[in-house]
């Protein structure tokens, strides 16, 4: 399949859009009509054909424009990409993982030619054709992690594993849901999760850490997380809160369907071979409410989830003030019919909206 | 999220291999080399990683962990070195007496429970006997990265010093060997004193050596997090006992020469595992009820958990008493 890349922006005029293809394959995160935290991990070994779960690193119509947006963020704030000195080897591991995966999964878009440590990397969508020496930093324009993550959608946290603990020791973070790599760099797993409500008391992080410490080579894992974003912003960072936070007050009943977006993170976890570090790619997908409700099952379910979400979570996810307006909008797409289990649209079997 | 639900399999991913070389090193230790049957390259790995070898011993499945000792950047071959244990449960004897070049076996993807701290300014290695194996891959990795390391290797006799000659030849200034039969001992206190700030120490060898190095380093003021150790326990034989598996609704017998984990697997119940040596924590199992005494041998549970009888690591620990019920 050849992908038609969108001409679009995630700032200023917000020309971002999802094609019908992108809407139908959107990673809707709710498998039932309510939501509570869980460690919801599963193996990352492909998924239904064409779904975002199929490939190790999903490439979609937003690829080129997302990479342009990353370049703009980094130009303003180079600290969005950091790697502590001992993490360079993990950076090479990540570069290898992404290059090998993309060239195998999308041979029409990416090519990797290896002769020992002499490598040639061709990235057709971005017009890159580079030759370099693997494990020799001086042969690349950036460090290995920065080089490859300027060419890969989603944020990347590279976690060192020591003393039965994970440490946020490197990352490329420009599409984040309100957290800061510059603030979290060097922190351990419990420290960087400290702001999350309820989950600590539920023992979620202890269980999650235990799981992640045991993610092994050849057996990657994945989970979904979600939040809400007004306007299709990739960069909702604390550093720029003064720019985007205020936009949450611009919602009106008339513009909500277009402006309010469900933001879903496909989080994956891979053990890196040489460094024994763990890479944690966080891929962000955005969909406007008006696009989402074109899938009847999702419209019904999103209404129920948003309506019944505990106040703490709606506050933490930053939409408690707008929740009444969101519910007014979404209630029009919930006719009370039951929904099928699982996350997929089930367009052939789920009834259209009645009335 | 149930996008594509797949049940996690116990153990790491498997790689079908052929034995490509069997090299006796001395009276006790033999090296086994493997090639992939599908002709693909092996995954690279990090120094200190191990693999679990599946042995088919006349219908009885044995799963033993061994450190990968080959160069991690050599993806054509994996190698392990196995010390024959005549009083053990038979895994090492099987490897020594039954495994030949050309045999087909299955090994797992690399798993590392003993990795280098890549922040370290210097890596100080202490090996005892067959405990040399993880350091061979660590040294290969550090040499590639121009790392700063030093090895202190204690062996029983010159004849039993596996890889001593190669190591000394390649790294004459970094390798120090001590012979028990010449009453040579590692000058541990001197070595721990005066190392550059940011040095990490690593020890692999018999339990006594590991305890000695931890205790000496602690009293010399070394931070605990800078002293790393790995000891694979082989499950020790013990008196047979009976176990009730609640979830599976089964009562099983654990034989004298098998571990509780092996008995659970033999009964057809899938149980999680990784290292099978009491270190990784994967097989941790809740105890529902018991009347008797646990024989805890793992490094995973803490003293409190060992004392309160709430959990057991079935890969290495046993039970003596009237009844034991597990949440499995």
């Amino acid at each position: 399949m050849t992908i038609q890349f969108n001409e679009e922006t995630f700032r200023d005029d917000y020309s971002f859009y999802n094609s019908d293809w992108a809407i139908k394959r959107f990673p809707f995160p709710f498998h039932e009509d309510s939501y509570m935290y869980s460690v919801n991990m599963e193996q990352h070994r492909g998924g239904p054909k064409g779904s975002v779960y199929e490939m190790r690193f999903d490439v979609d119509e937003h690829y080129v424009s997302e990479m342009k947006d990353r370049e703009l963020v980094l130009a303003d704030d180079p600290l969005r990409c950091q790697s502590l000195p001992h993490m360079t080897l993990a950076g090479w591991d990540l570069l290898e993982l992404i290059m090998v995966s993309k060239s195998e999964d999308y041979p029409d878009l990416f090519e990797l030619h290896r002769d020992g440590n002499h490598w040639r990397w061709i990235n057709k969508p971005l017009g890159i054709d580079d030759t370099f020496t693997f494990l020799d930093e001086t042969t690349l324009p950036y460090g290995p992690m920065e080089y490859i993550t300027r060419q890969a959608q989603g944020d990347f946290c590279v976690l060192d594993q020591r003393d039965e603990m994970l440490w946020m020791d490197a990352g490329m973070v420009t599409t984040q849901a309100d957290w800061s790599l510059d603030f979290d760099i060097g922190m351990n797993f419990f420290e960087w999760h400290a702001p999350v409500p309820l989950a600590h008391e539920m023992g979620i992080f202890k269980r999650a850490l235990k799981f992640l410490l045991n993610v092994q080579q050849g057996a990657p894992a994945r989970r979904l997380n979600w939040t809400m974003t007004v306007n299709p912003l990739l960069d909702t960072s604390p550093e720029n809160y003064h720019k985007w936070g205020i936009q949450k007050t611009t919602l009106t009943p008339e513009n909500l369907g277009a402006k309010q977006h469900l933001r879903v993170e496909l989080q994956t976890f891979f053990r890196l071979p040489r460094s024994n570090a763990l890479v944690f790619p966080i891929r962000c997908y955005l969909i406007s409410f008006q696009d989402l409700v074109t899938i009847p099952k999702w419209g019904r379910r999103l209404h129920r989830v948003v309506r019944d979400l505990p106040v703490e979570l709606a506050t933490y996810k930053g939409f408690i003030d707008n929740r009444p307006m969101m519910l007014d909008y979404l209630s029009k797409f919930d006719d009370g019919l039951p929904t099928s289990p699982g996350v997929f649209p089930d367009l052939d079997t789920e009834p259209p909206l009645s009335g | 999220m149930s996008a594509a639900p797949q049940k996690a399999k116990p153990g790491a991913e498997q790689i079908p291999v052929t034995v490509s070389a069997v090299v006796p090193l001395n009276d006790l230790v033999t090296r086994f080399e493997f090639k992939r049957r599908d002709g693909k390259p092996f995954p690279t790995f990090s120094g200190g990683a191990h693999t679990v070898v599946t042995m088919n011993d006349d219908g009885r499945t044995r799963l033993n962990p061994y450190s990968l000792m080959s160069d991690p950047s050599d993806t054509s071959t994996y190698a392990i070195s196995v010390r024959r244990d005549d009083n053990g449960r038979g895994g090492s004897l099987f490897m020594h007496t039954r495994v030949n070049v050309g045999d087909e076996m299955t090994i797992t993807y690399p798993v590392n429970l003993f990795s280098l701290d890549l922040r370290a300014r210097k890596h100080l290695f202490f090996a005892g006997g067959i405990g040399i194996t993880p350091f061979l891959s660590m040294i290969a990795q550090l040499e590639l990265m121009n790392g700063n390391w030093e090895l202190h290797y204690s062996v029983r006799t010159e004849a039993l010093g596996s890889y001593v000659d190669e190591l000394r030849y390649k790294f004459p200034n970094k390798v120090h060997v001590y012979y028990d039969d010449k009453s040579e001992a590692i000058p541990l206190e001197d070595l721990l004193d005066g190392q550059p700030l940011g040095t990490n120490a690593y020890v692999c060898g018999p339990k006594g050596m590991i305890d000695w190095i931890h205790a000496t380093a602690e009293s010399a003021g070394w931070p605990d997090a800078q002293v790393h150790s790995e000891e694979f326990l082989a499950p020790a034989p013990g008196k047979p006992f009976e176990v009730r598996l609640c979830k599976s609704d089964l009562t099983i017998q654990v034989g004298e020469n098998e571990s509780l984990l092996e008995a659970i697997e033999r009964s057809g119940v899938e149980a999680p595992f990784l290292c099978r040596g009491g270190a990784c924590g994967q097989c941790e199992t809740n105890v529902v009820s018991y009347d008797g005494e646990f024989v805890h041998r793992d490094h995973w549970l803490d003293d409190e958990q060992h004392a309160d009888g709430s959990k057991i690591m079935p890969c290495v620990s046993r039970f003596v008493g009237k009844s034991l019920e597990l949440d499995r």
Side-chain angles (χ1 to χ4, degrees), chain B residues 136-149:
Chain B
L136 295 171
S137 62
M138 287 180 174
I139 288 168
Q141 177 173 346
L142 287 173
E143 281 297 301
L144 202 68
M145 298 157 54
N146 229 349
N148 184 8
W149 61 273

Side-chain angles (χ1 to χ4, degrees), chain A residues 45 214 216-217 273-274, chain B residues 13 44-46 119 274 282:
Chain A
R45 304 275 179 94
N214 274 303
Q216 299 300 343
Q217 265 181 267
R274 296 170 185 77
Chain B
E13 284 297 296
T44 45
F45 62 94
S46 48
R119 299 171 307 167
L274 215 50
Q282 275 294 290

Side-chain angles (χ1 to χ4, degrees), chain A residues 226-241:
Chain A
W226 66 278
T227 189
M228 295 286 180
T229 303
V230 173
N231 289 327
L233 280 153
L234 283 178
D235 174 24
T236 51
S237 57
E239 285 88 345
N240 281 330
Y241 187 80

Side-chain angles (χ1 to χ4, degrees), chain B residues 188-205:
Chain B
L188 185 59
E189 285 179 24
D190 291 348
L191 287 171
L192 291 174
D193 192 18
Q195 292 293 339
L197 205 64
T199 301
N200 275 238
Y202 305 77
V203 52
C204 185

Side-chain angles (χ1 to χ4, degrees), chain B residues 33 49 55 89 111 122 126 149 166 188 211 223 231 315 320:
Chain B
E33 298 179 5
M55 304 167 206
R89 298 171 330 119
V111 171
K122 181 179 174 184
F126 296 103
W149 61 273
E166 292 96 312
L188 185 59
D211 293 346
E231 181 197 8
C315 64
V320 180

Side-chain angles (χ1 to χ4, degrees), chain B residues 25-44:
Chain B
L25 298 172
N26 51 48
D27 279 353
L28 289 179
V29 179
T30 297
R31 181 172 71 238
F32 298 87
E33 298 179 5
F34 304 109
K35 300 275 185 203
R36 273 180 86 127
R37 266 184 260 163
D38 60 11
K40 290 183 184 166
F42 281 108
T44 45

Side-chain angles (χ1 to χ4, degrees), chain A residues 89 273-274, chain B residues 44-51 66-74 77-81 110-112 114-116 118 125 130-145 149 151 163 167 170-171 230:
Chain A
L89 186 62
R274 296 170 185 77
Chain B
T44 45
F45 62 94
S46 48
H50 71 264
T51 183
Y66 296 103
S67 295
L68 286 165
M69 48 146 295
S70 39
D71 181 343
S73 59
D74 176 3
T77 307
Y78 272 2
I80 59 172
S81 288
V111 171
N112 201 336
F114 188 46
S115 58
L116 292 165
L118 295 173
F125 298 143
I130 194 63
I132 189 65
T133 49
F135 296 124
L136 295 171
S137 62
M138 287 180 174
I139 288 168
Q141 177 173 346
L142 287 173
E143 281 297 301
L144 202 68
M145 298 157 54
W149 61 273
L151 170 70
Y163 303 107
L167 285 165
K170 275 167 118 174
F171 314 108
E230 177 162 70

